Amino acid sequence: MSKILFVLSGADHWTLADGTEHPSGFWAEEAVAPYEAFTAAGHEVVVATPGGVVPTVDRASLAPEVNGGQENADRVAKALASFTALRNPVALADVKLDEYAAVFYPGGHGPMEDLAVDAESGRLLVDALASGRPLGVVCHGPAALLAARGDDGGNPFAGYRLTGFTNAEEIQGGLADKAKWLLQDRLVEIGVRFEEGEPWAPKVVVDRNLVTGQNPASSAPLAAELLKLL
């Protein structure tokens, strides 16, 4: 049994352009679906956050309307409660990459607040990419890639094919016009080859050891691709 590292945001809000703190954190489905897939395959999941703070679930991600009804919302909430590693995270600064077979970043708007500018997370991403380990990143999780810096000062993800939460989805979600910046725009600026699928439909892009998913619906398919690489 190998260990898989989940790197989650430690933020409980996302600061909008007008300074308002929009309640946020990690998106439940994006943590639960991969957690269930990896543990079912016999792997152990370890959670890490900036400073080792217990991550906050975005309460909006537990609503019936984003989970296909109350029954599945209850199932996700129950699965989240059984994900005990979420309550005992290690600090990102203490992570030793060689202890893990793969690294995974769920989304939610939380990463836009902290991981996008977190140097420790950025270094971990650079090392994970260079190591050849499977590296999975979904939805708003690719915001963390913005903090990655190579020895030459450039972003090592430049030139990679990847996806993430799109401008179209942010617009339809009602927050695009309130945001300081949009994820798709920033990723394009650092030189990635951004691939955009239909809003809210599952889309996974695999480029070498990097596996990315566009939105919450992409979480389970992304986990399946990571397991193939493992």
Side-chain angles (χ1 to χ4, degrees):
M1 179 176 72
S2 57
K3 292 199 289 188
I4 297 177
L5 182 70
F6 275 41
V7 180
L8 273 73
S9 167
D12 61 4
H13 66 275
W14 176 36
T15 306
L16 302 178
D18 66 358
T20 304
E21 293 187 354
H22 178 74
S24 186
F26 70 89
W27 199 259
E29 180 182 359
E30 296 168 26
V32 164
Y35 170 76
E36 291 180 328
F38 298 147
T39 54
H43 302 289
E44 177 188 352
V45 169
V46 175
V47 171
T49 62
V53 303
V54 175
T56 299
V57 64
D58 189 325
R59 304 306 299 181
S61 69
L62 298 175
E65 54 267 30
V66 298
N67 286 291
Q70 188 63 54
E71 184 178 347
N72 198 50
D74 291 343
R75 190 197 70 76
V76 169
K78 184 177 179 182
L80 207 56
S82 69
F83 189 170
T84 54
L86 286 170
R87 298 189 285 280
N88 300 285
V90 299
L92 262 177
D94 296 333
V95 167
K96 294 179 176 63
L97 181 62
D98 59 9
E99 295 178 359
Y100 301 95
V103 178
F104 172 66
Y105 278 67
H109 280 110
M112 303 272 282
E113 184 72 22
D114 61 353
L115 296 180
V117 293
D118 189 287
E120 286 167 348
S121 171
R123 281 192 293 273
L124 177 68
L125 285 164
V126 171
D127 293 345
L129 189 69
S131 74
R133 283 173 176 76
L135 171 60
V137 197
V138 70
C139 200
H140 288 93
L145 308 188
L146 302 175
R149 293 285 178 275
D151 292 337
D152 61 357
N155 192 298
F157 290 92
Y160 273 76
R161 294 169 46 245
L162 57 80
T163 189
F165 203 68
T166 64
N167 290 354
E169 288 167 322
E170 206 75 82
I171 289 166
Q172 291 177 23
L175 287 170
D177 60 347
K178 300 175 183 176
K180 290 181 181 177
W181 50 272
L182 298 179
L183 179 60
Q184 181 177 347
D185 292 346
R186 281 286 177 90
L187 290 171
V188 170
E189 285 171 12
I190 64 170
V192 309
R193 295 161 59 193
F194 192 92
E195 298 189 6
E196 180 176 356
E198 288 299 314
W200 315 110
K203 181 175 178 62
V204 176
V205 176
V206 182
D207 187 350
R208 289 156 277 185
N209 59 317
L210 178 66
V211 185
T212 52
Q214 180 171 312
N215 46 36
S218 307
S219 305
L222 182 151
E225 290 295 336
L226 266 188
L227 286 170
K228 286 181 193 174
L229 290 179
L230 278 171

